[in-house]
Amino acid sequence: MLTCPNCSNAIDSKTKFCPYCNAPVEDYVRSSTSAVGLTAAPSSATGENPVMYRYLDLYRAARLLVGVGNTVKVLGIVVGTGILLLCLFAGLAGSSQTSNFGAQQSAAASSFLFGTFVVGAVFGTFVGGIVFLLGILISAQGQILLAQADSAVHTSPFMTEEEKAKVMSLPFPRAVEQRLAADAARAPSS
């Protein structure tokens, strides 16, 4: 199955026109099916596959999103704790003022302190929680992008296994390399 270059719907590889948008796709299908099984030629300047750069940039963007999301989550915790402490200190400052009423002062001061603590806890939890949830959403978008990049790299016919491992920042052990060489040697030549 391929996708139509005009409307991006799934089309059959034997079709001449897209059944969804009626766009001619015969040349696109022919060029797409002839490229299967080939790897891109290495760049003469660097000796590396130019397709790798596309995926490397994708991974950088995804990791940046995950990092920003984690930073926003930490910021949410810091902001929530800061609001709680600010209200607690305001309650302590307000309850320590002297008054001429004696016993009523201590009851009023403790209730004022408790009230500011409760307000700080509720407001700090609300604001910190909203910022923390925003960080989760940002980080989740980065994780989704990483998963899509893994899938795209894994199924790419334009890179070797070693290039795929390099793009995904995975080690490419000699044992895997030797196994691939052995499999290639056992394969019947045409």
Side-chain angles (χ1 to χ4, degrees), residues 36-39 51-52 54-56 58-59 145-170 172 176 179-180:
V36 173
L38 302 175
T39 58
V51 176
M52 290 174 52
R54 176 184 303 162
Y55 292 119
L56 286 171
L58 178 63
Y59 275 102
L145 195 56
L146 279 173
Q148 289 174 339
D150 287 345
S151 177
V153 167
H154 177 69
T155 59
S156 175
F158 302 109
M159 293 190 297
T160 64
E161 294 297 319
E162 187 173 1
E163 290 171 337
K164 290 176 185 180
K166 185 176 181 181
V167 167
M168 295 171 79
S169 300
L170 299 173
F172 192 74
V176 174
R179 183 179 54 104
L180 289 174

Side-chain angles (χ1 to χ4, degrees), residues 35-145:
V36 173
L38 302 175
T39 58
S43 169
S44 59
T46 63
E48 288 189 351
N49 187 342
V51 176
M52 290 174 52
Y53 295 113
R54 176 184 303 162
Y55 292 119
L56 286 171
D57 287 342
L58 178 63
Y59 275 102
R60 286 183 191 118
R63 289 184 185 117
L64 177 69
L65 269 176
V66 171
V68 168
N70 290 338
T71 303
V72 170
K73 287 190 279 188
V74 169
L75 185 66
I77 293 170
V78 169
V79 166
T81 305
I83 290 172
L84 173 66
L85 291 175
L86 183 67
C87 287
L88 184 62
F89 290 139
L92 285 173
S95 66
S96 65
Q97 292 180 356
T98 60
S99 175
N100 297 333
F101 296 114
Q104 289 180 349
Q105 176 190 9
S106 64
S110 62
S111 64
F112 181 75
L113 177 63
F114 180 72
T116 55
F117 177 75
V118 168
V119 167
V122 169
F123 189 63
T125 302
F126 180 74
V127 172
I130 295 293
V131 174
F132 188 82
L133 287 175
L134 180 64
I136 288 174
L137 291 175
I138 294 170
S139 183
Q141 288 299 316
Q143 294 292 349
I144 290 169
L145 195 56

